[in-house]
Amino acid sequence: MTETQIQPQSINLIQAVNLAMDHAMAADPKVLALGEEVGDREEGGVMGVTKGLSTKYGDDRVKSTPISEQAIIGAAIGAAICGYRPVAEIMLMNFVTVAMDMITNHAAKLRFMSGGQTHVPIVIRTMTGSGFGTGGQHSDYLEAWFAHTPGIKVVAPSNPNDAYGLMRAAIEDDDPVIFIENLPSYWTPSEVTFEAIPIGKARVARAGTDVTIITHSLMVGHSLVAAQTLADAGISVEVIDLRTIAPWDRETVLAAVRKTGRALIVHEAVREFGIGAEIASTLHEALWDELKGPVKRLGGAFCPVPYSKPLETAFAPSADDIVATIKAMVAAH
């Protein structure tokens, strides 16, 4: 059965990623899955994202690994070089630090170092996000590290439909893709159309005329809530869901900001040195004469994610923070 034969249905993000991998594995015997506890004997991973796949496709294609991020990524790179398309799970995004050398010096660079002869078509699935009291070593958004690395693509879906579509595109891509899943978003259902979504193409989540919000992952939901609140106050907000962080969709973002003349970039990663700085710089350089005021940024506090619930809540931008910032932007300019 192809995706075009599947009727749209409402599922959550866990189910969307699972089905994307299932359909990719059914279509191509070279697609593999590996990571800690991904097999059915271990319940298909800590969140059950790969549940059912080892039973369906066998242990040769769905491999539970030792607790070694270096082993997982090293095996994935080796398999990719040999013609496979592995989907490697690094349970939490903070744990990619253990395998950073392999990711940035090998996976990202082998195409360049081989003069284009060697491709590394791996997908590195990982999960992160504050809100569940998992603390400073389990909750960081580290997308800026990988967006800064030539040779790696970075995607961060905000909803099940995008999770499905981007995962299918990531598996089919000939270069390494970091696929960031947000923990608090896992269980929120929405309709999925089962179509691939091109990497590098943003989505206009809400149209508006006064201010543009550029965001991704969980912050899309917060931005949409803020946009509705602001609409009730007479301020029209456009929300751009980047979907892909690297390469980011400059054309869509520039067109949206050119229309509104104001821009706010929102991400959960710490504000300092985040991707918001790159986008803000690009907007200032390209649209300086068309902006009604400086591009603003909202991001996490410059500290490890707190364990204390009140501090953790204060760490990341909220819908109320977005509302207050935009009201001040409109009042000033």
Side-chain angles (χ1 to χ4, degrees):
M1 181 183 296
T2 64
E3 296 95 309
T4 56
Q5 296 172 305
I6 305 173
Q7 293 300 312
Q9 56 183 286
S10 181
I11 57 177
N12 64 33
L13 201 145
I14 291 174
Q15 295 167 313
V17 175
N18 180 280
L19 284 172
M21 294 178 64
D22 185 1
H23 296 165
M25 294 181 79
D28 184 354
K30 294 293 187 180
V31 177
L32 312 175
L34 69 159
E36 298 171 23
E37 304 176 357
V38 297
D40 286 336
R41 282 189 296 271
E42 301 83 17
E43 303 298 327
V46 66
M47 293 297 171
V49 176
T50 53
K51 192 169 185 177
L53 297 182
S54 68
T55 298
K56 189 171 184 177
Y57 297 102
D59 293 338
D60 286 342
R61 293 183 65 191
V62 182
K63 288 189 174 293
S64 291
T65 68
I67 302 174
S68 172
E69 287 76 20
Q70 288 180 321
I72 295 166
I73 299 302
I77 293 171
I81 292 172
C82 292
Y84 291 90
R85 292 185 176 273
V87 180
E89 178 181 309
I90 300 298
M91 187 183 294
L92 291 164
M93 195 170 195
N94 287 75
F95 301 165
V96 298
T97 56
V98 182
M100 282 293 285
D101 174 57
M102 289 181 171
I103 296 170
T104 61
N105 276 327
H106 299 275
K109 294 179 182 175
L110 280 171
R111 178 199 278 264
F112 300 94
M113 302 297 284
S114 67
Q117 299 178 78
T118 301
H119 297 268
V120 186
I122 68 172
V123 180
I124 301 173
R125 285 187 46 246
T126 192
M127 170 184 68
T128 194
S130 62
F132 279 76
T134 51
Q137 296 177 336
H138 297 77
S139 310
D140 287 334
Y141 267 88
L142 306 174
E143 66 268 29
W145 295 0
F146 298 105
H148 189 69
T149 303
I152 295 179
K153 296 171 183 175
V154 184
V155 301
S158 67
N159 60 78
N161 189 65
D162 287 357
Y164 179 93
L166 288 167
M167 176 56 75
R168 291 304 306 269
I171 291 172
E172 294 169 6
D173 201 286
D174 285 334
D175 292 307
V177 178
I178 307 292
F179 191 92
I180 306 170
E181 300 163 20
N182 176 261
L183 173 59
S185 299
Y186 264 153
W187 298 276
T188 304
S190 65
E191 186 174 273
V192 175
T193 58
F194 299 104
E195 298 173 342
I197 293 171
I199 290 175
K201 184 62 179 174
R203 173 178 70 100
V204 180
R206 180 185 176 111
T209 57
D210 294 326
V211 184
T212 301
I213 298 175
I214 303 109
T215 186
H216 65 274
S217 194
L218 182 69
M219 292 295 127
V220 174
H222 290 350
S223 297
L224 289 171
V225 170
Q228 184 56 54
T229 300
L230 289 160
D232 295 339
I235 300 173
S236 176
V237 176
E238 182 144 295
V239 178
I240 304 297
D241 181 354
L242 286 174
R243 300 199 290 200
T244 301
I245 295 165
W248 63 281
D249 188 350
R250 288 168 171 79
E251 181 178 348
T252 295
V253 172
L254 287 171
V257 177
R258 181 174 285 114
K259 178 176 66 173
T260 64
R262 302 181 182 92
L264 171 65
I265 305 154
V266 184
H267 52 67
E268 185 172 326
V270 295
R271 180 178 180 273
E272 282 77 1
F273 304 99
I275 64 164
E278 170 65 22
I279 297 172
S281 179
T282 299
L283 293 174
H284 282 130
E285 291 168 2
L287 302 176
W288 179 255
D289 292 335
E290 301 175 62
L291 293 172
K292 298 175 182 177
V295 175
K296 297 291 186 179
R297 293 176 291 148
L298 281 175
F302 194 61
C303 67
V305 179
Y307 173 74
S308 161
K309 184 60 179 175
L311 293 177
E312 183 186 37
T313 300
F315 165 82
S318 67
D320 289 342
D321 295 329
I322 297 169
V323 168
T325 301
I326 288 179
K327 283 184 175 180
M329 291 170 64
V330 172
H333 302 282

